[in-house]
Amino acid sequence: MKKKSIFIYPSPHATTGGNNPYIKDLSDALEDYYIIINKKKTSGFKLFSFIPKLIKCDYFFFNWIESISSKKYGTIKYHLAFCFLYLIKRFNKKIIWTHHNKQPHNKNTYKTKKLSNWLINNVHLIITHTTASKPILEKINPKAPILFFFHPIKPLSKLISSRKESHSSYDILIWGSMTPYKGLIEFLKYVKKEKTMQELKIKVIGKFINKDFYSRAKEIACKNTEITDTFIKNDDLYQLHKSSEYILFPYSGNSVLNSGALIDSLVYGSKIIGPNIGAFHDLEKENIIFTYNSYSEIKDILTKQTQTDTNNTEKFKSEHTWSIFASKLYDNLNNKGI
């Protein structure tokens, strides 16, 4: 049987070089079942690249397009996105969209809400990576066509090339891209006012959104908190995980449902603490990670030294790979005649 074709947004090549690897992983997984029509690099505004392929392409798979109005020339791109989506519908093509977060991390404006609502009411299939997405989607469209599959997981061998011995030790590691919605400043302020938390050796590492945000974090941090503004290589990240007792995600924003950093930390086999929301809540129910409802609960988790279910964790990881996700998506589309 001839493979059907699929257009992925953002384009697969746009996420190499240290940025979010989700789209590349998605593209690599789907390539076993579909022709990725925009696999090769194109110049110019990426949404324009789909126009010549509109007639011969079968599926259009969108990620984070609802936040397009927050980008450079956002208003123009927002109106173009609506035009393109209407064209896709007009040509009777199939639209797939992943609901990654409650709302865009930067701003939830009239434009983002309008585009999100259109997607929820018009696409042929909505991918979700947490059970928390369902009530949000069904509040807008009770008949929303949802396919739930927990955020796909990469094997450890694809994240590291070597395993060196680690000598340093941290009580808590906070890592990833450092942006305001992730709650770093709020957590550092909490540590500063709680003496028992000040005793902990904390490592904060990742690329900060700007110098001002980095300086602000350094000013607030206690003496036992080490902060580094840098991109992290996979091998270095593996060593940091192995030398840290717990990995903490201090997210405090109201937009978060999923976290790519959470998935990588899960792969590394680390003990994870995160907010009781979205994918974190799903994993806590599986006895795979620990969650908190307020920062005051974190110290208790550290003190009790409770354990998660290692066997269940390994089973969960083996059942939620990228290849299994691609297979499930392919079967779902075929069975529904989409």
Side-chain angles (χ1 to χ4, degrees), residues 172-191:
I172 292 174
L173 171 67
I174 300 172
W175 74 278
S177 59
M178 297 298 165
T179 54
Y181 79 86
K182 293 189 175 182
L184 176 62
I185 298 299
E186 290 80 359
F187 178 71
L188 293 177
K189 286 181 177 179
Y190 173 75
V191 172

Side-chain angles (χ1 to χ4, degrees), residues 61-210:
F61 197 151
F62 293 102
N63 296 267
W64 302 291
I65 192 172
E66 66 276 15
S67 63
I68 198 167
S69 61
S70 65
K71 300 180 183 298
K72 189 177 182 181
Y73 308 119
T75 298
I76 296 173
K77 292 180 179 180
Y78 164 77
H79 290 295
L80 285 174
F82 260 121
C83 290
F84 295 157
L85 289 167
Y86 281 126
L87 269 177
I88 295 170
K89 292 281 285 187
R90 180 82 177 182
F91 278 82
N92 295 316
K93 303 299 180 176
K94 310 303 181 184
I95 303 174
I96 306 167
W97 172 60
T98 301
H99 183 249
H100 286 283
N101 298 294
K102 291 181 184 178
Q103 61 192 47
H105 296 314
N106 39 18
K107 285 184 179 181
N108 190 30
T109 64
Y110 167 78
K111 291 185 178 71
T112 60
K113 290 177 183 177
K114 186 175 180 180
L115 189 46
S116 294
N117 287 354
W118 189 94
L119 291 163
I120 294 168
N121 285 301
N122 288 276
V123 303
H124 297 85
L125 187 65
I126 302 174
I127 307 297
T128 68
H129 293 320
T130 169
T131 56
S133 285
K134 186 177 181 180
I136 296 171
L137 297 169
E138 291 185 342
K139 184 177 181 180
I140 297 170
N141 179 8
K143 296 183 179 180
I146 298 170
L147 172 62
F148 166 69
F149 190 92
F150 190 82
H151 191 306
I153 300 168
K154 283 187 290 191
L156 181 62
S157 59
K158 292 188 177 182
L159 291 175
I160 60 171
S161 59
S162 63
R163 300 189 180 193
K164 301 173 185 177
E165 291 296 324
S166 298
H167 301 289
S168 59
S169 178
Y170 304 101
D171 296 302
I172 292 174
L173 171 67
I174 300 172
W175 74 278
S177 59
M178 297 298 165
T179 54
Y181 79 86
K182 293 189 175 182
L184 176 62
I185 298 299
E186 290 80 359
F187 178 71
L188 293 177
K189 286 181 177 179
Y190 173 75
V191 172
K192 195 165 189 174
K193 71 177 184 179
E194 293 292 332
K195 290 186 177 180
T196 56
M197 294 294 288
Q198 293 172 18
E199 300 169 358
L200 300 174
K201 190 174 182 183
I202 300 171
K203 174 70 175 179
V204 178
I205 184 169
K207 193 60 186 174
F208 280 69
I209 191 169
N210 55 49

